[in-house]
Amino acid sequence: MIDKFVRSMAEAMDGIRDGSVVMIPGFAEVGAPNALIDGLIEQGATDLTVIINATGKPRVAGAKVTGFARLVELGRVRKVVTSFVRAGSVCGDAVKAGTVVAEVIPQGTLAERIRAAGAGIPAFYTPTGADTLVAEGKEIREYRGRRCVLEEAIHADVALVEAWMADRWGNLVFRGAGRNFNPLVAMAAELTIVQTHHVCDLGQMPAEQVMTPGIFVDRVLHLPVGDPKLPI
Amino acid sequence: MIDKFVRSMAEAMDGIRDGSVVMIPGFAEVGAPNALIDGLIEQGATDLTVIINATGKPRVAGAKVTGFARLVELGRVRKVVTSFVRAGSVCGDAVKAGTVVAEVIPQGTLAERIRAAGAGIPAFYTPTGADTLVAEGKEIREYRGRRCVLEEAIHADVALVEAWMADRWGNLVFRGAGRNFNPLVAMAAELTIVQTHHVCDLGQMPAEQVMTPGIFVDRVLHLPVGDPKLPI
Amino acid sequence: MSTTTEQAWKPLSRDGMAARAARDIPEGWYVNLGIGVPTLIGNHIPAEREVILHSENGVLGMGPAPEKHKENPWLINASSQRISLRVGASLVHHADSFAIVRGGHLDLCVLGGFQVAENGDLANWSHSPKEVARQIGGAMDLAVGAKRVWVVMEHVTKDGQPRLLRRCTYPLTAGACVTRVYTNMAVLDVTPAGFKVAEIIPGMSFSELQARTEAELLR
Amino acid sequence: MSTTTEQAWKPLSRDGMAARAARDIPEGWYVNLGIGVPTLIGNHIPAEREVILHSENGVLGMGPAPEKHKENPWLINASSQRISLRVGASLVHHADSFAIVRGGHLDLCVLGGFQVAENGDLANWSHSPKEVARQIGGAMDLAVGAKRVWVVMEHVTKDGQPRLLRRCTYPLTAGACVTRVYTNMAVLDVTPAGFKVAEIIPGMSFSELQARTEAELLR
């Protein structure tokens, strides 16, 4: 019997190595696998390259640093690939100090490069960014009269995913805007680890409504962590 | 009030010009917009390039020629882009006779080239077909030690779509394996025309379960045509 | 210019600019509203006018801001604000959401701007190539992908420097993409010949507008 | 070879080949079964062994052929046969279905073959570059994309010509992709040194197998 559920955070995080490329989805707090990020902090892997859109807001005096920002603060991140680095955020400060390297790219290009890895497309052309700094050092070719940049797939060793519901085959559904990067990173990593709010029996998800088929999922941890926090 | 429903086949087919590129989804009879193909036959546009995976089975003596095969038989198709041309089918005979030009490509490449058009990707690399006849005349580049072919997006003037349910904004759901190429062609054409088995009020489709958002749809015709026929 | 002339006009407020742009969005358009003033446009589209708002994080059919006790913690927009869904809305993942943007399916996106050049070049994400904080987000995708790109911004900077230029001095978001600009002083179309003034706020003259604009304006 | 030697062995039937291949597929694998004999493999995987079958037309988790009156006209496989869904199945569109194939997510695909070369080259879609009927389907995607590619085919053609060759003479489906071959006479692994015989049908000798094979076989 296939059973992708793991019973502990330690089991979920088992084997993540120093130097790994880790994908972290989420848009603000919605769809962010925060419990798994805490697990990764605990697990200890360092020298990480993190593919993440939500690198965090500016520091708020007195507020506890959590999630990805905490991973950065602990010096565990070597490089970040994102569409946003905010001045005054923990990540922004680390980039400014030179302790983290940032590759900042358009958000749609980020999403498409992750999907490309999952879909077996090593590279593609896009007009996005063609006339800008993000095209520097990249190949340019014209299609239909528009300059296009050649962009490569982004593969990961590990993807952390937040689902609303999961079954023992690893079939997933997401809630509301919590879908965002979750189905994409699940496809693009060697090892896909899921935290899920709810668990259901096999067959309770109608076949048409499965959003991420279990083939993309390796481990599932049941963690009913509650709703995303309000944005400040 | 947005209302994408049209009241007649004539209205659905209005403006399709000779020389158009037309996408027709479906896998065997499942998810095939057969009523709209009949409408196109009636409408009269000719010299068509048709992007279609299901080019048809070998002729059966005495059986009526319908659907795409009928369009070919009437001499309305100039070129077909597909993954399959069967010997002894109407399309196969036309290709053999030289009246139809066939571009036969891998099925996954066909699907991805259609999606690429819909997603604004003018071209991408894929290892599929790299060592084969389908790579002839195409650019080859190596990624991760594998030879890859450069493939371009396929755009269409018109897409014919078969949906299970539609609302007045053109939001669609598909049934069972009837999804296949339908959501892809809907994204890749200038004009997307839908035949739907069922109609629902706006809001009856849960937002998470919409399979093709209405932004990809121009016209919807309500045609409760019944289940797909059994394969012979 | 005399003091009395100066007092003859009053630049539009942020809400005033948003309301002005909202007037020009017809029913049936699919529209993405960028962060800042563009987001305010949503408040000025009457509910009975069906304009379908897209948000980069996978939402098509955003409704107005929810009432305090009716907030759904799973629904936010690209500005991380709580939102509601319109009846008829749909939710997709990030690649599908950007397929909508990049595939040319949006009728319009409205973006904020630092600078717009007379050929339609847009700069709205960085003040210098050396800047550490880089906030591209979805702006480059939207500027390249939407059928029309409108920019809403103050006509001049806080220091009085013009933003409508012959050529942008900040790093570009995309080249030759802007089709129309709404400022707190005027509405301008980007034409092959340059900025063409479509409207000036009451009491301001063409020459007063030109005085606040580096690029040469067309009537 | 004498007549009595010839009678000492009996090649496997189509079902026999399918059953033999089925034995080697462990629980938990995601598998695509090609048209023809590979499709028969599904009938030989016990229901209690959870092997998840993929079909190119967007089905993950195919079940056995449905009973006559329980057919669902909306469910077919890539061979256009009516199918059932296993509990736990999911349905996706064609690009997502081929993302599963091309993204390297399938543990195995089993394909039919015309010819396999000792370096793993596969020819299974055309007998000549000049052939009008071209039936590529998903074979090239599967051959390139799956983690393992097994081929199930008769050891020789109807005319007795070998199919396991030094080099394929028909147009290729993909280069160096096949990892294992199940014929009606043997099971062979494709190794860097060539075909290595893992198993021969009862009563057949290595030299008898070699006599029916163009490529040099390794013990």
Side-chain angles (χ1 to χ4, degrees):
Chain A
M1 198 178 86
I2 299 170
D3 184 3
K4 298 186 179 177
F5 284 105
V6 294
R7 271 64 197 177
S8 69
M9 183 60 84
E11 205 182 331
M13 292 294 137
D14 186 47
I16 301 179
R17 279 192 287 270
D18 292 354
S20 292
V21 178
V22 181
M23 288 181 173
I24 302 181
F27 200 89
E29 295 291 308
V30 180
N34 286 327
L36 295 180
I37 298 174
D38 288 345
L40 180 58
I41 289 171
E42 180 73 16
Q43 189 262 2
T46 191
D47 196 27
L48 303 172
T49 294
V50 181
I51 319 300
I52 181 171
N53 190 61
T55 54
K57 295 177 186 298
R59 288 173 192 271
V60 176
K64 204 178 158 195
V65 173
T66 61
F68 171 70
R70 179 67 182 149
L71 199 62
V72 172
E73 194 175 57
L74 290 169
R76 305 266 290 280
V77 178
R78 175 168 60 89
K79 184 181 174 185
V80 63
V81 182
T82 184
S83 79
F84 254 103
V85 174
R86 286 197 181 78
S89 66
V90 172
C91 183
D93 290 349
V95 172
K96 198 169 172 185
T99 57
V100 169
V101 175
E103 181 183 345
V104 183
I105 61 177
Q107 196 171 141
T109 295
L110 178 63
E112 191 69 20
R113 288 176 68 183
I114 296 169
R115 184 214 172 251
I121 304 295
F124 60 86
Y125 286 95
T126 174
T128 296
D131 297 321
T132 77
L133 292 176
V134 305
E136 272 180 12
K138 290 180 177 170
E139 195 177 317
I140 300 281
R141 189 176 293 197
E142 203 165 292
Y143 283 99
R144 305 178 136 216
R146 300 188 90 171
R147 287 157 50 82
C148 297
V149 195
L150 182 62
E151 296 281 1
E152 294 192 13
I154 305 178
H155 294 262
D157 298 301
V158 180
L160 309 181
V161 166
E162 199 216 31
W164 177 247
M165 177 95 80
D167 64 28
R168 68 177 171 83
W169 279 12
N171 292 314
L172 308 179
V173 294
F174 307 98
R175 187 171 188 194
R179 199 175 322 185
N180 59 68
F181 286 90
N182 278 290
L184 308 178
V185 302
M187 294 169 66
E190 283 301 307
L191 173 64
T192 294
I193 308 167
V194 177
Q195 66 175 82
T196 185
H197 289 260
H198 300 283
V199 166
C200 69
D201 285 340
L202 207 61
Q204 282 195 322
M205 268 178 227
E208 278 97 345
Q209 291 174 24
V210 172
M211 296 178 188
T212 287
I215 191 169
F216 300 124
V217 170
D218 298 289
R219 302 174 187 166
V220 185
L221 185 60
H222 183 202
L223 290 172
V225 294
D227 289 335
K229 277 169 278 173
L230 265 165
I232 296 158
Chain B
M1 198 178 87
I2 299 170
D3 184 4
K4 297 186 180 176
F5 284 105
V6 293
R7 271 62 196 177
S8 69
M9 184 60 84
E11 206 182 329
M13 293 293 136
D14 186 46
I16 300 179
R17 281 191 287 271
D18 292 352
S20 291
V21 178
V22 181
M23 288 181 174
I24 302 182
F27 201 90
E29 296 291 309
V30 180
N34 286 327
L36 295 180
I37 299 174
D38 288 346
L40 181 58
I41 288 171
E42 180 72 16
Q43 190 261 3
T46 191
D47 195 29
L48 303 172
T49 294
V50 180
I51 319 300
I52 181 171
N53 189 62
T55 55
K57 295 179 185 297
R59 287 172 192 273
V60 176
K64 205 179 158 197
V65 173
T66 60
F68 171 69
R70 180 67 182 147
L71 199 61
V72 172
E73 195 174 56
L74 290 169
R76 305 267 289 281
V77 177
R78 175 169 60 88
K79 184 181 174 186
V80 64
V81 182
T82 184
S83 78
F84 253 102
V85 174
R86 286 196 180 78
S89 65
V90 172
C91 183
D93 290 349
V95 172
K96 199 169 172 186
T99 57
V100 168
V101 175
E103 181 183 343
V104 182
I105 61 177
Q107 195 171 143
T109 296
L110 178 63
E112 191 70 20
R113 288 176 69 185
I114 297 170
R115 183 210 173 254
I121 304 295
F124 59 87
Y125 286 95
T126 173
T128 296
D131 297 321
T132 78
L133 292 176
V134 307
E136 270 180 14
K138 290 181 176 169
E139 193 178 318
I140 299 280
R141 190 176 292 197
E142 202 166 294
Y143 282 101
R144 301 179 138 217
R146 301 187 89 171
R147 286 156 52 80
C148 297
V149 195
L150 182 62
E151 297 281 2
E152 292 193 13
I154 305 178
H155 294 263
D157 298 303
V158 180
L160 308 182
V161 166
E162 198 215 33
W164 177 247
M165 177 96 80
D167 64 28
R168 67 176 172 83
W169 279 12
N171 293 314
L172 309 179
V173 295
F174 307 98
R175 186 170 188 193
R179 199 176 322 185
N180 58 68
F181 286 90
N182 278 290
L184 307 178
V185 302
M187 294 169 66
E190 282 303 307
L191 173 65
T192 294
I193 308 169
V194 178
Q195 65 173 83
T196 185
H197 290 261
H198 300 283
V199 166
C200 69
D201 285 341
L202 207 61
Q204 282 195 323
M205 267 178 228
E208 277 98 345
Q209 291 173 25
V210 172
M211 295 178 188
T212 286
I215 190 168
F216 300 124
V217 170
D218 298 290
R219 301 174 187 166
V220 185
L221 186 59
H222 183 201
L223 290 172
V225 292
D227 289 335
K229 276 169 281 175
L230 263 165
I232 296 159
Chain C
M1 288 171 279
S2 72
T3 309
T4 51
T5 312
E6 290 285 359
Q7 287 168 341
W9 52 267
K10 186 164 170 287
L12 295 178
S13 64
R14 287 160 54 92
D15 249 331
M17 287 190 277
R20 178 61 197 82
R23 260 174 47 199
D24 292 345
I25 303 177
E27 176 156 278
W29 275 18
Y30 293 86
V31 179
N32 183 295
L33 302 174
I35 293 175
V37 179
T39 296
L40 301 177
I41 291 173
N43 303 335
H44 297 278
I45 300 172
E48 66 276 13
R49 194 198 302 165
E50 290 192 335
V51 171
I52 301 179
L53 299 180
H54 171 264
S55 182
E56 292 95 303
N57 56 324
V59 184
L60 193 64
M62 271 193 293
E67 295 169 54
K68 228 8 187 192
H69 59 290
K70 285 191 178 166
E71 287 172 327
N72 176 341
W74 293 89
L75 293 177
I76 59 171
N77 64 13
S79 308
S80 301
Q81 297 163 327
R82 292 287 162 95
I83 58 164
S84 65
L85 294 183
R86 265 190 103 113
V87 169
S90 50
L91 294 161
V92 298
H93 64 51
H94 238 83
D96 282 350
S97 182
F98 275 92
I100 288 174
V101 174
R102 293 153 63 110
H105 305 286
L106 291 173
D107 295 292
L108 170 68
C109 79
V110 189
L111 296 171
F114 296 157
Q115 300 177 331
V116 177
E118 59 190 7
N119 71 338
D121 285 358
L122 170 64
N124 83 344
W125 68 283
S126 169
H127 294 84
S128 153
K130 294 192 176 119
E131 211 167 23
V132 168
R134 290 191 165 191
Q135 306 197 18
I136 301 176
M140 290 185 184
D141 304 290
L142 286 160
V144 161
K147 288 176 193 160
R148 299 169 188 82
V149 178
W150 294 353
V151 168
V152 181
M153 63 181 187
E154 317 273 322
H155 202 89
V156 298
T157 66
K158 280 177 189 154
D159 306 337
Q161 296 302 308
R163 293 173 181 274
L164 295 170
L165 308 174
R166 281 188 207 98
R167 186 181 278 262
C168 294
T169 59
Y170 293 161
L172 290 193
T173 304
C177 61
V178 180
T179 52
R180 184 171 258 216
V181 183
Y182 294 84
T183 76
N184 53 349
M185 300 178 186
V187 179
L188 308 100
D189 285 309
V190 178
T191 74
F195 291 114
K196 190 167 186 319
V197 179
E199 201 173 300
I200 309 184
I201 51 170
M204 181 181 258
S205 69
F206 184 88
S207 61
E208 282 171 326
L209 186 68
Q210 179 66 73
R212 287 160 181 82
T213 310
E214 187 206 85
E216 197 176 333
L217 299 178
L218 310 168
R219 284 173 200 266
Chain D
M1 285 172 281
S2 71
T3 310
T4 50
T5 311
E6 291 286 358
Q7 287 167 340
W9 51 268
K10 187 163 172 286
L12 296 177
S13 64
R14 287 160 55 90
D15 248 331
M17 286 190 277
R20 178 62 195 83
R23 260 173 48 200
D24 292 344
I25 303 177
E27 176 156 279
W29 274 17
Y30 293 87
V31 179
N32 183 294
L33 301 174
I35 292 175
V37 180
T39 296
L40 301 177
I41 292 173
N43 304 334
H44 296 278
I45 299 172
E48 67 276 14
R49 195 198 303 165
E50 290 192 337
V51 172
I52 301 179
L53 299 181
H54 171 264
S55 182
E56 292 94 304
N57 57 325
V59 184
L60 193 65
M62 273 193 292
E67 294 170 55
K68 217 45 186 164
H69 58 290
K70 285 191 177 167
E71 287 173 328
N72 177 340
W74 293 88
L75 292 177
I76 60 171
N77 64 14
S79 308
S80 301
Q81 298 163 328
R82 293 287 162 94
I83 58 165
S84 65
L85 294 183
R86 264 190 103 113
V87 168
S90 49
L91 294 161
V92 298
H93 64 51
H94 238 84
D96 282 349
S97 182
F98 276 92
I100 287 173
V101 173
R102 294 152 63 107
H105 304 286
L106 291 173
D107 294 293
L108 169 69
C109 79
V110 188
L111 297 171
F114 297 156
Q115 300 176 331
V116 177
E118 59 189 5
N119 71 338
D121 284 359
L122 170 65
N124 82 343
W125 69 283
S126 169
H127 294 85
S128 153
K130 293 191 178 120
E131 209 166 25
V132 169
R134 291 192 165 192
Q135 306 197 18
I136 301 176
M140 290 186 184
D141 305 291
L142 286 160
V144 161
K147 288 176 194 160
R148 298 168 188 83
V149 179
W150 294 354
V151 168
V152 181
M153 63 181 187
E154 316 274 323
H155 203 88
V156 298
T157 67
K158 281 176 190 156
D159 306 337
Q161 296 302 308
R163 294 174 182 271
L164 294 170
L165 308 175
R166 280 188 208 96
R167 188 181 278 261
C168 294
T169 59
Y170 293 161
L172 291 194
T173 304
C177 61
V178 180
T179 51
R180 183 171 259 215
V181 184
Y182 293 84
T183 76
N184 52 350
M185 298 179 187
V187 179
L188 309 99
D189 286 309
V190 179
T191 73
F195 290 115
K196 190 168 186 320
V197 179
E199 201 172 302
I200 308 184
I201 51 169
M204 180 178 259
S205 70
F206 183 87
S207 60
E208 283 170 325
L209 186 68
Q210 179 66 73
R212 288 158 180 85
T213 310
E214 186 205 89
E216 195 176 335
L217 300 177
L218 309 169
R219 285 177 201 263

